[in-house]
Amino acid sequence: MHKLVKELALTTALMGVGVISLSQQPISAQAAVKTHKLKSIPKRFRGTWYQTSKGKTYKLKVSAKRFGISKYRHTRDKNSAAYSSEQYFTPYKVTGAKSNTLYLVNGVGGKTVRQTTIKHHKALIYYNEQEHGNSVYTLTKSKKSSVQKSWGAGNPYGMSVTSVKTAKQNRRDFAKINPYIKKYFGKVVKKKSMHGNGPYKHINVTYYTFIKDPMKLK
């Protein structure tokens, strides 16, 4: 597995877990976002992107048909298991919202990816939504940059909560991620909230996700 993905996947696993016994409700309506399927990743997204953390530098390689460990697939693999869901992706260009944004749809999740410039640095921001957790990373063409970011949180749908403490930690993790997601992705993601029941009654987790159900993308 790609070093960057291994390291950040581990970080995500350690930072939080999901909340069980929840009901999902949209927070706000969003304007329509249109998409169309692509046959390859556009050139502006390609190349080697870096993130340096705690003295170690990790690389993410993007080509026309690859995004890190994931390979291009014309149609989404609906039967992929959670542990192998990122093996393939199907790319969609987002129009009518933030420019230079893609959905990379996997078997049981996907990434919202944007190429932009932050403080004069070329940056690749991707928000990863998988069954094992959610995370957001910002990488740059230069090996070291102050604009590089990484955050992780457990899956908001309620995967592995074991206590009220971990549920509250999950809420705090998303509270850190949400302002960044809103700033850089805007209308291409939708704000939602999970409302806890039982012992989690007063623990509501607000998060962002695909504006469309990725399972319904054609």
Side-chain angles (χ1 to χ4, degrees):
M1 183 183 290
H2 195 282
K3 286 185 178 180
L4 174 65
V5 177
K6 285 181 67 177
E7 180 74 15
L8 297 181
L10 176 60
T11 301
T12 300
L14 293 174
M15 288 186 71
V17 293
V19 180
I20 61 173
S21 300
L22 298 174
S23 59
Q24 180 178 332
Q25 296 182 11
I27 291 293
S28 59
Q30 300 281 5
V33 173
K34 297 180 180 179
T35 61
H36 64 271
K37 187 185 294 186
L38 301 177
K39 294 183 178 180
S40 64
I41 294 180
K43 289 183 179 180
R44 69 181 308 122
F45 294 84
R46 302 178 199 173
T48 301
W49 301 88
Y50 296 93
Q51 184 175 86
T52 298
S53 177
K54 296 181 179 180
K56 293 184 179 181
T57 300
Y58 305 97
K59 295 189 293 185
L60 176 72
K61 294 184 178 181
V62 180
S63 66
K65 301 290 185 178
R66 295 190 70 98
F67 189 93
I69 63 170
S70 300
K71 297 182 292 184
Y72 168 83
R73 180 185 171 101
H74 180 68
T75 56
R76 184 176 61 84
D77 183 4
K78 298 179 181 180
N79 297 316
S80 63
Y83 65 85
S84 62
S85 66
E86 294 182 76
Q87 183 177 358
Y88 298 103
F89 70 87
T90 304
Y92 294 82
K93 179 73 170 67
V94 179
T95 59
K98 292 280 189 182
S99 61
N100 309 320
T101 303
L102 306 176
Y103 292 147
L104 304 183
V105 181
N106 302 127
V108 292
K111 298 179 179 69
T112 306
V113 184
R114 185 179 177 206
Q115 195 282 309
T116 188
T117 300
I118 304 175
K119 296 180 181 179
H120 308 293
H121 290 261
K122 287 186 177 180
L124 186 74
I125 307 172
Y126 72 94
Y127 179 43
N128 191 23
E129 296 183 75
Q130 296 294 331
E131 192 167 344
H132 49 68
N134 289 24
S135 48
V136 59
Y137 313 117
T138 299
L139 302 94
T140 60
K141 288 289 188 178
S142 55
K143 291 186 177 181
K144 293 183 180 180
S145 171
S146 62
V147 307
Q148 295 175 358
K149 304 288 183 184
S150 67
W151 290 287
N155 189 296
Y157 297 92
M159 285 298 296
S160 305
V161 96
T162 56
S163 68
V164 169
K165 180 180 178 180
T166 55
K168 289 181 177 179
Q169 181 62 53
N170 198 37
R171 180 175 61 186
R172 288 193 294 270
D173 291 338
F174 276 102
K176 293 178 182 178
I177 294 173
N178 288 340
Y180 197 78
I181 294 294
K182 180 180 179 181
K183 178 179 179 179
Y184 287 105
F185 289 112
K187 295 178 181 179
V188 305
V189 290
K190 189 173 184 178
K191 190 176 183 181
K192 292 187 177 181
S193 183
M194 302 297 292
H195 297 275
N197 298 315
Y200 309 99
K201 183 177 180 180
H202 301 293
I203 306 173
N204 301 328
V205 180
T206 299
Y207 66 101
Y208 285 91
T209 187
F210 281 103
I211 192 167
K212 289 185 176 180
D213 182 349
M215 304 302 179
K216 296 180 180 179
L217 288 172
K218 303 290 186 181

